[in-house]
Amino acid sequence: MLDLKNIPVLVTGGTGFIGSRLVPHLAAAGAQVTVLSRDPARAGRQFGAGIHCVKDPSETKERPPRVVVNLAGAGIADWPWTSRRRVELLDSRIAYTDRLRASLIDTPPEILVSASAVGYYGVSESREFTEKDGPGEGFAAQLCRRWEASAEAFSALGTRVTCVRIGLVLGPGGLLGRMKLPFSLGLGGRLGHGRQWMSWVHLDDVVGIFERSITDPELAGAVNATAPASVTNAEFTRTLGQVLKRPTPFPVPAFLLHSLLGQMADELLLAGAYVRPERAQAAAYPFRYPALEDALRDALGRTDTGG
Ligand SMILES: NC(=O)c1ccc[n+]([C@@H]2O[C@H](COP(=O)([O-])OP(=O)(O)OC[C@H]3O[C@@H](n4cnc5c(N)ncnc54)[C@H](OP(=O)(O)O)[C@@H]3O)[C@@H](O)[C@H]2O)c1
């Protein structure tokens, strides 16, 4: 196991939802963290002294990173997948990772841990997926496959590469933050028929799995970051309603989501996949939040359990 003490680590996209918790965590473990951001001044204000923020990887030349964590990318669920948006989603991951590799070619990192998503597997109501499964169909699967291929190309430089296929992350903010308002108003409901799988994971476990992927040399290749048990959208909806103490009477019709959001709704909201974290479990990774209700309570700051 690698000791992170004094190890130079470069985190791309570190100002986002996951990075905001991962960056301080790695710094607390003793790593010398640099955040690569399009706006390093804003990133510097976000993290304060102690975290070096840069706009270009060349600014790390004096002490090149031994570890790179690659989180950057335009938000996959922020905007409908118009053809222009698809280009942005692809470029901000694949072209971005290619540029990162080119800029680090003279001093390649020993380890790259690069984000990917459970969208890699495509969607299914009946199958379970593990890291042994290949890529599925659809835009999200194609995006993940190409993003992982770009990360894998670091291997030619002698870098150990791990791609973390992340599920729906539950933490303060993120997608849950957007769902909170309608549910709090009692307007929440399952999406379509509600049988689609949601492979969720708590933010602390994403951070834990990223840390383990950095420090454990056994975890090269693909690693799923999902909770041990996925749930259907109907069960997720019910549990979220219980935690917020609100009814969830109004199913959102599939045709409405499809007409508003097109293929994004078809792949991300109305369909899903049951993705098991086989490698994290084989490595005895200790999940902090294996149960959905506990994860939601923590993420929403609802630690009261009564009623
Ligand atoms: N959150 C989830 O549920 C989830 C699930 C599966 C996979 N993932 C993947 O994991 C990664 C991190 O997730 P996250 O939720 O932390 O993402 P996020 O909050 O959207 O943050 C991603 C960061 O990427 C940078 N970025 C945004 N647009 C960009 C663009 N057009 N070009 C280059 N950089 C850009 C931004 O950093 P600067 O503004 O500082 O440059 C941003 O803070 C993402 O790539 C995401 O696709 C997340």
Side-chain angles (χ1 to χ4, degrees):
M1 290 278 188
L2 178 74
D3 181 357
L4 284 169
K5 212 155 189 56
N6 293 323
I7 300 276
V9 178
L10 179 69
V11 183
T12 79
T15 54
F17 176 53
I18 294 172
S20 299
R21 194 162 290 189
L22 181 62
V23 165
H25 181 85
L26 296 176
Q32 291 181 357
V33 185
T34 299
V35 169
L36 182 64
S37 170
R38 293 166 302 168
D39 186 346
R42 172 176 47 82
R45 286 193 296 277
Q46 178 177 339
F47 290 113
I51 304 291
H52 188 207
C53 298
V54 299
K55 196 175 174 73
D56 192 281
S58 63
E59 295 172 63
T60 63
K61 274 224 161 69
E62 267 181 25
R63 193 142 191 247
R66 287 178 58 192
V67 176
V68 172
V69 176
N70 187 29
L71 299 173
I76 192 101
D78 286 358
W79 197 254
W81 296 346
T82 58
S83 43
R84 199 167 147 194
R85 183 63 178 171
R86 284 173 203 237
V87 170
E88 197 178 350
L89 292 171
L90 290 163
D91 280 357
S92 62
R93 291 180 171 79
I94 297 143
Y96 183 99
T97 306
D98 289 345
R99 281 198 306 276
L100 183 68
R101 190 174 63 252
S103 60
L104 295 173
I105 203 155
D106 293 331
T107 53
E110 288 157 40
I111 299 162
L112 169 69
V113 180
S114 196
S116 181
V118 294
Y120 175 88
Y121 299 107
V123 300
S124 173
E125 266 178 41
S126 54
R127 272 188 70 187
E128 276 185 28
F129 297 93
T130 72
E131 292 89 346
K132 293 194 193 86
D133 289 294
E137 305 283 329
F139 176 70
Q142 183 203 34
L143 171 70
C144 292
R145 186 177 51 73
R146 292 179 55 192
W147 192 11
E148 290 189 14
S150 173
E152 273 301 331
F154 271 80
S155 306
L157 310 179
T159 302
R160 191 256 288 167
V161 179
T162 302
C163 291
V164 182
R165 295 177 182 153
I166 308 167
L168 169 67
V169 184
L170 304 182
L175 279 178
L176 191 60
R178 288 191 235 166
M179 292 164 80
K180 191 176 166 185
L181 180 63
F183 273 79
S184 297
L185 295 172
L187 298 171
R190 62 164 206 264
L191 306 180
H193 54 52
R195 290 191 301 274
Q196 64 277 35
W197 291 108
M198 293 178 73
S199 287
W200 62 275
V201 60
H202 189 282
L203 180 56
D204 285 347
D205 283 320
V206 176
V207 166
I209 290 171
F210 266 82
E211 181 183 25
R212 179 65 83 85
S213 299
I214 296 170
T215 57
D216 185 348
E218 296 295 311
L219 285 184
V223 173
N224 293 336
T226 54
S230 301
V231 296
T232 62
N233 174 263
E235 189 177 340
F236 187 93
T237 301
R238 233 179 354 259
T239 312
L240 181 53
Q242 272 163 18
V243 169
L244 290 172
K245 297 186 177 151
R246 288 287 182 276
T248 52
F250 304 117
V252 187
F255 77 85
L256 185 65
L257 287 168
H258 176 79
S259 54
L260 286 173
L261 301 170
Q263 196 177 350
M264 185 175 113
D266 299 345
E267 288 192 24
L268 296 188
L269 303 177
L270 296 167
Y274 193 122
V275 177
R276 277 203 295 118
E278 193 168 85
R279 295 197 68 204
Q281 288 183 307
Y285 169 75
F287 279 90
R288 278 190 69 185
Y289 292 95
L292 177 62
E293 185 175 330
D294 295 342
L296 285 172
R297 284 195 187 285
D298 179 80
L300 294 163
R302 299 280 179 134
T303 38
D304 54 307
T305 48

